[in-house]
Amino acid sequence: MLHQLRRLDKIIPIRLHLTFWYLITLIVLCAGFVIYLHIRFEDRLLRELDTSLELAANQAANYIGSEAGQLVFLESDALARLEEDYSLVLVAEDGTLLAQVGDPDTPLPDTLATGYTLFERPKGIHHRNEDEWRVYTRPVIAVDSGVSGWLHVGQSLKQTQSTLRSLTNEVHFVFPLTIIVAGIGGFLLSARAMRPIEHITRTARAINTTDLNQRINYDGPNDEIGRLAHTFDRMLDRLEAGFERERRFSGNAAHELRTPLTALKGQIGVTLSRPRQPDEYAATLRSMEQQVDRLIRLSSDMLLMTRLDQQPRQPLSDSIKLDELLGALVDQVRPLAEDKQITLVEELSVVPVIQGCMDLLIRLFMNLLDNAIKYTPSAGQITVHTTQEDEYVTVYIRDTGPGIPAEHLSHLFERFYRVDSDRARDQDRSGSSQGGAGLGLTIAQEIVRVHSGTISVQSAVGQGSTFTVRLPVTPQV
Ligand code: ADP
């Protein structure tokens, strides 16, 4: 049974759920309110009746005399008027009935004391038609003779009960009507509230990877649903941008792979077109080796980028002194710089140890140093500078190269972006250690990102370029 209820629970639409719980709450609240009203109303009617009984008793007490030592009602108009609404009973001190006007069935209390007595209808089918009574009892003294006794003033509760019954009848009619109207209203309201969600569902269903440009474009109020629709649209924006980036990346990657492969194919074709001397074959193989190197570099760059993408948190467990690391790297590239008569200047002040991944940081600074050497003409100068700024170690790599035009600066770190692709490739053919695919700075930026640092470039045409890397002394988790 419980299991079936749970299954039902899963298939019932949310608007029915909402309406159901709303109705249950409404029924409980209304029922509580009606019960409270009924009790208060009944109590109030009884108290009003008590006041009128006491007033009637006080009035009637003025018209009591005695005859032969026994209390009697005196003839009077006022008493006659009282008789119309109340039953009046006179009893002696010992409880003997002396006189009675009004309903002869008026019940009397067993004990004689000032106060009110409620005669409820005995439970059971036989007494169904008997009235309930309220009786007020008080002592009386005949003014003329001083004879004393007790006066009971009673009234049937028929009137009070019929007032209460008519109230109950009205409630019986109004209550279900209220629930039905509230139920329909609640259902329509929740259906209306759910409509944008239906819209979101339909849009989500219509979206696939080739058609990510659908949007909800919700123009309703900025409530919970409005915010959900807005968040959904922004998520689609990000997904679309992500897919677009991936598409561009695949296209660029295919293009970059095809270029050396086409060159290889051409060289093989030319070489095979006629018999050749062994030294010609050797020369072709050496040239082919360069293309293969380029392919290997490209594929390992792409692999590294995928790894950095997939594992945003690399283990940053090496303690690294950047001034020492950069000193070693500068020594490593010095022969390349000397080949081009470039002066390498080291301004490596001692900086705090940072936590990071040694392999990745070597890759980062090698990329920047390689670029500086690659793009700086002969007799130029490259300065490597370290300093501490607040909680960061900052590294500047400054060159006296051609500089980068301003319009390229904001794109420099994008995948496969090259300022001048032909120049980069020509330089690459001339033997630089970094390929010219336009991935070097993207990789540098990814490495800086996993170290929670920043990388930026300042450059102006004819004034050289400065790449600035800031790495936190304590990595941010
Ligand atoms: P590449 O592999 O082509 O060098 P990078 O991502 O390392 O790719 O660099 C992107 C582009 O930025 C390069 O094509 C080059 O035009 C420009 N660039 C990078 N470093 C320098 C520099 N030090 N001086 C001038 N231009 C630079």
Side-chain angles (χ1 to χ4, degrees), residues 143-206:
V143 237
D144 47 2
S145 58
V147 177
S148 63
W150 293 86
L151 170 67
H152 300 293
V153 180
Q155 194 181 59
S156 154
L157 293 180
K158 208 189 298 176
Q159 184 59 40
T160 317
Q161 274 163 348
S162 103
T163 312
L164 271 178
R165 231 185 340 267
S166 67
L167 176 78
T168 315
N169 286 344
E170 263 172 53
V171 166
H172 279 169
F173 171 71
V174 172
F175 193 71
L177 201 75
T178 312
I179 299 300
I180 290 170
V181 171
I184 294 173
F187 182 78
L188 291 179
L189 265 181
S190 53
R192 194 181 133 89
M194 288 298 132
R195 212 173 298 145
I197 293 190
E198 289 283 338
H199 184 45
I200 295 177
T201 313
R202 272 199 307 277
T203 312
R205 220 177 270 146

Side-chain angles (χ1 to χ4, degrees), residues 124-144:
I125 201 143
H126 305 295
H127 303 283
R128 207 173 33 202
N129 295 323
E130 285 178 21
D131 283 346
E132 299 195 343
W133 283 81
R134 184 74 163 168
V135 176
Y136 176 66
T137 306
R138 59 158 285 181
V140 281
I141 298 173
V143 237
D144 47 2

Side-chain angles (χ1 to χ4, degrees), residues 301 367-376 382 397-405 408 411-421 423-425 428 432 434-444 457 459 464-467:
D301 278 358
N367 281 4
L368 296 179
L369 286 171
D370 265 349
N371 275 352
I373 295 171
K374 194 159 64 177
Y375 298 111
T376 303
I382 297 169
I397 297 180
R398 195 175 304 132
D399 64 52
T400 55
I404 302 160
H408 294 288
H411 302 288
L412 220 55
F413 296 96
E414 288 173 12
R415 296 166 175 198
F416 295 109
Y417 192 82
R418 282 186 305 238
V419 174
D420 177 351
S421 49
R423 187 190 66 193
R425 196 156 303 140
D428 182 47
S432 162
Q434 186 68 41
L439 285 178
L441 288 180
T442 315
I443 289 177
V457 57
S459 186
S465 313
T466 303
F467 284 86

